[in-house]
C-alpha cells in the first residue's frame, strides 16, 4: 500500500482498510493541529491508487464493504476526481457499500447538492467532520476557516440528501470559563443535524502548535480537567440524539473514557459523575489542574 507521510484515521475505523487518495491536509492551519506539519498536501497518483486497490482486492477477494479514504481532508478533492476514484474502487472491490473519509465544512461548501447526491450514490457516506464546536469565538480562535453559519448551511445540504455524518468535537476548545456557551452553541447545531456518532476528544496543546503560542501569550487560557468534564457532562445532558447514535468518548486524550449508544445516555451521565467523584476522593485537586497530553 502507498502511504505518504503521516496517516490518521478515526478510532471507530480501527478495522477498516485505509486507502490513500490524498496526503497531508489541504488546510493545515488549525491552531491546535500539528498532524501534518511539514507534509505538503497533494492528490495521490491514480496509478498508486490502482495498485493499492489491486492489493486490497487480493486480501479481500469477495466481501469488503467499507473503506476509509485518507488523509486529513480527503473529501477536499473535486467531485469529478472523487467520482473517478470511486469508479475505480467499485471496479476492483464490487461489494463496497460505504466510502468514509475525514471531511471539513470547507470541503462540503465547494460541492453542490447535485454533486453530493452523485457522491452518495457512489457510496460516500459516514463522513467524519471535525466540527470541534459551533461556538463562533472558538471557531475563530482555532482558525477552522468557517463559522457556525457555514456549519448550518453545509450540514443542511447533507441532511437534504440523507448523507450521514459523524461529529468530532473538542472538549475545552473555547478555553477556561467558556464551556457553557460552547456546549449551548454545539448542542443547537447537533440537535438540528443529528450525527450517527458524537465523538468528543479533549483539547491538547502541542509545543509546536500555534495554540501553544497563544497559550504562552495568554490569548488562550486552558480549561481545567473539571471544566472539560463538566463540558462533557452538559453535552450529554443536552444532546437529544436518536437511541442508536453512538457517543464515542473513549479517545486516549479523554481523562474518563467511555462510549455507548444514546439509549444509555442516563447510564453514561451517572458513570461520568461517579468517576469524577472518585477522582475527587482519591486524587483531590487533580480535576482543578490541567494534565499534559501528547501531541496531535
Ligand atoms: S484539524 Fe483537520 S482540517 Fe485542521 S489542520 Fe488538522 S487535519 Fe487539517
Amino acid at each position: 500500500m502507498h502511504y505518504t507521510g503521516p496517516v490518521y484515521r478515526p478510532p471507530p475505523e480501527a478495522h477498516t482498510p485505509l486507502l490513500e487518495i490524498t496526503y497531508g491536509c489541504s488546510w493545515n492551519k488549525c491552531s491546535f493541529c500539528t498532524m501534518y506539519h511539514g507534509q505538503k498536501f497533494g492528490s495521490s497518483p491514480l496509478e498508486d491508487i490502482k495498485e493499492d486497490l489491486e492489493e486490497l482486492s487480493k486480501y479481500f477477494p469477495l466481501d469488503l464493504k467499507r473503506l476509509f479514504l485518507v488523509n486529513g481532508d480527503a473529501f477536499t478533492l473535486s467531485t469529478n476526481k472523487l467520482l473517478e476514484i470511486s469508479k475505480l474502487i467499485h471496479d476492483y472491490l464490487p461489494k463496497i457499500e460505504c466510502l468514509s473519509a475525514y471531511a471539513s465544512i470547507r470541503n462540503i461548501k465547494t460541492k453542490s447538492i447535485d454533486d453530493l447526491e452523485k457522491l452518495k450514490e457512489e457510496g460516500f457516506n459516514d463522513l467524519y467532520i471535525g466540527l470541534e464546536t459551533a461556538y463562533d469565538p472558538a471557531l475563530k480562535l482555532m482558525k477552522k476557516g468557517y463559522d457556525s453559519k457555514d456549519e448550518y448551511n453545509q450540514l443542511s445540504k447533507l441532511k437534504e440528501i440523507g448523507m450521514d455524518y459523524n461529529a468530532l468535537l473538542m472538549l475545552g476548545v473555547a478555553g477556561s470559563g467558556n464551556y457553557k456557551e460552547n456546549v449551548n452553541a454545539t448542542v443547537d447545531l447537533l440537535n438540528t443535524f443529528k450525527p450517527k456518532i458524537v465523538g468528543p476528544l479533549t483539547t491538547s496543546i502541542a509545543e509546536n502548535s500555534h495554540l501553544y503560542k497563544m497559550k504562552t501569550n495568554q490569548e488562550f487560557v486552558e480549561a481545567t480537567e473539571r471544566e472539560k468534564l463538566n463540558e462533557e457532562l452538559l453535552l450529554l445532558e443536552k444532546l437529544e440524539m436518536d437511541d442508536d447514535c453512538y457517543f464515542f468518548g473513549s479517545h486516549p486524550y479523554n481523562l474518563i473514557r467511555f462510549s455507548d449508544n444514546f439509549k444509555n445516555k442516563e447510564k453514561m451521565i451517572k458513570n461520568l459523575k461517579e468517576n469524577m467523584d472518585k477522582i475527587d476522593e482519591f486524587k483531590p485537586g487533580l480535576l482543578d489542574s490541567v494534565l499534559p497530553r501528547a501531541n496531535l
Side-chain angles (χ1 to χ4, degrees):
M1 301 293 287
H2 297 80
Y3 295 116
T4 313
V7 176
Y8 292 91
R9 54 108 186 96
E13 302 295 336
H15 302 292
T16 310
L18 309 178
L19 177 71
E20 179 183 286
I21 65 167
T22 60
Y23 44 89
C25 162
S26 72
W27 179 247
N28 216 4
K29 289 182 197 155
C30 297
S31 304
F32 56 88
C33 180
T34 58
M35 297 198 312
Y36 298 99
H37 276 192
Q39 174 62 58
K40 74 171 180 147
F41 170 78
S43 166
S44 306
L46 277 183
E47 277 317 305
D48 290 359
I49 296 176
K50 276 185 199 165
E51 281 177 27
D52 288 351
L53 284 168
E54 204 167 322
E55 197 174 331
L56 282 171
S57 68
K58 283 181 192 147
Y59 277 101
F60 303 94
L62 293 173
D63 56 353
L64 188 61
K65 294 199 165 63
R66 186 179 181 95
L67 271 185
F68 189 78
L69 309 176
V70 293
N71 251 295
D73 61 344
F75 205 62
T76 190
L77 294 181
S78 69
T79 300
N80 283 346
K81 187 80 180 172
L82 288 171
L83 291 174
E84 188 181 7
I85 293 170
S86 64
K87 183 179 177 318
L88 274 181
I89 293 173
H90 292 299
D91 286 348
Y92 281 92
L93 300 162
K95 300 276 180 173
I96 285 286
E97 292 169 1
C98 180
L99 300 173
S100 179
Y102 282 125
S104 157
I105 289 294
R106 281 170 286 97
N107 303 158
I108 304 168
K109 209 171 177 176
T110 59
K111 293 171 179 72
S112 66
I113 292 277
D114 189 42
D115 291 336
L116 291 167
E117 255 172 348
K118 282 184 194 150
L119 291 165
K120 184 174 177 241
E121 271 167 30
E122 291 303 309
F124 284 91
N125 210 355
D126 271 359
L127 300 174
Y128 286 79
I129 305 181
L131 297 171
E132 330 305 0
T133 172
Y135 179 53
D136 277 317
L139 284 170
K140 197 168 171 203
L141 214 57
M142 294 301 141
K143 297 191 181 358
K144 289 298 294 181
Y146 53 81
D147 60 18
S148 61
K149 199 169 154 212
D150 292 320
E151 291 178 328
Y152 276 88
N153 289 340
Q154 301 315 315
L155 292 183
S156 76
K157 283 157 67 178
L158 299 193
K159 187 173 180 178
E160 188 175 332
I161 62 153
M163 187 187 278
D164 292 328
Y165 85 101
N166 303 311
L168 303 178
L169 307 175
M170 278 173 53
L171 303 170
V173 72
S176 184
N178 300 315
Y179 80 83
K180 287 184 187 156
E181 293 84 344
N182 190 52
V183 167
N184 288 339
T186 305
V187 161
D188 283 349
L189 180 77
L190 299 195
N191 283 347
T192 308
F193 304 109
K194 295 185 193 305
K196 271 178 75 182
I197 297 175
V198 177
L201 64 78
T202 303
T203 303
S204 74
I205 307 187
E207 283 192 17
N208 51 346
S209 66
H210 183 66
L211 191 55
Y212 185 81
K213 283 189 202 134
M214 291 163 70
K215 182 183 149 187
T216 312
N217 301 337
Q218 310 269 303
E219 282 172 74
F220 183 80
V221 180
E222 240 180 318
T224 63
E225 300 305 317
R226 189 181 305 285
E227 285 179 293
K228 288 178 279 209
L229 291 171
N230 279 336
E231 181 174 342
E232 190 170 20
L233 200 53
L234 194 60
L235 186 68
L236 271 170
E237 284 169 350
K238 291 194 157 204
L239 280 173
E240 292 162 6
M241 296 292 112
D242 297 335
D243 278 359
D244 60 351
C245 173
Y246 192 62
F247 186 85
F248 182 83
S250 304
H251 191 279
Y253 287 178
N254 293 357
L255 185 59
I256 300 171
R257 293 170 203 153
F258 59 95
S259 300
D260 208 335
N261 286 330
F262 267 85
K263 83 169 176 232
N264 295 320
K265 168 171 156 166
E266 295 311 320
K267 201 171 127 198
M268 287 195 277
I269 290 171
K270 186 166 171 278
N271 166 62
L272 184 50
K273 283 182 179 164
E274 283 175 358
N275 275 290
M276 287 175 72
D277 288 345
K278 270 189 207 154
I279 294 174
D280 274 335
E281 188 182 345
F282 294 108
K283 296 266 183 194
L286 185 137
L287 290 187
D288 298 306
S289 67
V290 179
L291 296 173
R293 290 177 166 83
N295 287 4
L296 179 65

